[in-house]
Amino acid sequence: MNVNPVAPTGGDAFHPDAVYRVTIDTDGDNQADVAFSFVCSQPGAGRQTMTVYRADGAEARSHEAGGQKTVTDEPVSFTAEPEVITAGQYRLSAGLRSDAFFADLDGIVKDSGGAHPSLTAYFNQEDAKDAYNAAEPARDWDTSLQPWTAVLAHTGGYDAQAAETGLRTVLPDILRYDRSEPAAYPNGRTLTDDVTSARLKMISGGKVTSDHIGPHTDLLPDLPCLGTPHPATAAGPEQS
């Protein structure tokens, strides 16, 4: 999970008042059944710790950190050397790392924290982005079908039926994963999947099939899987 794509240039620690969440829908009703919430201490002297909670059932739908603690006050890493934590059945690594997402950022000025990258950048008007990002995925189909169909008609020449078929792969904004099938976007997402080219192909109705940018070559074979962090720069999103 990338929570700050402009770190360390645009911030070099996790926000101590934030709740970072990964939610899982296990029964197909587009609502969270399991939630992992990550909260961090105040950073200081180059150190910060993270606590992780697991919530199940109705408690998983709360935006607050709740449920059972699975990791308590473990360190995060701000250096090239990662912290890999094992707590029972869980393994976790958090900190500054190289961002595996690859795209021409001149063409993507703002993105969301959704499961499918670049949706709001391409589909939503600027004044609709905050409401989309704050809404629950269960509402996505009803609120986005009509305006997003209009976008596809304009950018890719879609008719209403073709637009609906295409939008069903990304709405609601939940990344589906069928474990009986190979992991490849949109069935899950690996760190080398070219999701930007997939989005350009969708938006253009197949006229643009690639952004001609390859995946990162600094990936690691084990946790944290992502490469070492890049140094801070004067401007521009360089890492996560």
Side-chain angles (χ1 to χ4, degrees):
M1 176 171 59
N2 182 352
V3 300
N4 186 359
V6 296
T9 303
D12 57 2
F14 294 97
H15 199 296
D17 296 327
V19 178
Y20 304 104
R21 285 165 46 83
V22 174
T23 57
I24 305 167
D25 171 20
T26 61
D27 58 12
D29 66 353
N30 301 324
Q31 297 191 72
D33 298 299
V34 181
F36 291 92
S37 298
F38 306 78
V39 294
C40 297
S41 66
Q42 284 282 352
R47 294 188 69 256
Q48 191 172 29
T49 61
M50 174 175 285
T51 296
V52 184
Y53 298 81
R54 172 177 172 154
D56 295 85
E59 195 173 16
R61 291 161 205 144
S62 169
H63 289 184
E64 300 300 320
Q68 180 182 1
K69 284 186 180 180
T70 61
V71 172
T72 303
D73 294 332
E74 293 287 354
V76 302
S77 172
F78 299 128
T79 69
E81 188 64 30
E83 296 280 357
V84 179
I85 300 150
T86 300
Q89 63 179 318
Y90 302 106
R91 294 183 72 218
L92 168 71
S93 184
L96 288 174
R97 303 303 299 173
S98 171
D99 187 355
F101 180 69
F102 47 101
D104 178 1
L105 292 176
D106 289 335
I108 304 176
V109 294
K110 182 180 179 183
D111 203 359
S112 72
H116 294 273
S118 307
L119 286 182
T120 196
Y122 289 118
F123 282 103
N124 285 327
Q125 297 292 326
E126 195 65 33
D127 60 1
K129 290 180 178 180
D130 287 345
Y132 175 82
N133 291 339
E136 293 295 329
R139 299 175 49 197
D140 287 348
W141 185 257
D142 291 337
T143 59
S144 298
L145 176 61
Q146 183 174 350
W148 289 20
T149 294
V151 171
L152 289 179
H154 176 69
T155 62
Y158 286 71
D159 61 26
Q161 182 175 357
E164 179 174 334
T165 299
L167 290 172
R168 286 193 181 278
T169 66
V170 296
L171 288 176
D173 193 357
I174 295 171
L175 188 62
R176 298 170 180 84
Y177 179 48
D178 181 348
R179 288 180 290 180
S180 68
E181 300 291 336
Y185 185 80
N187 183 48
R189 177 186 171 193
T190 73
L191 295 176
T192 56
D193 284 342
D194 191 351
V195 293
T196 301
S197 291
R199 193 68 63 242
L200 290 172
K201 184 177 181 180
M202 177 186 187
I203 288 288
S204 69
K207 298 180 181 69
V208 180
T209 58
S210 176
D211 64 354
H212 304 291
I213 299 174
H216 283 213
T217 58
D218 61 351
L219 300 177
L220 305 178
D222 200 359
L223 276 178
C225 300
L226 303 174
T228 56
H230 303 290
T233 57
E238 294 289 340
Q239 62 183 29
S240 62

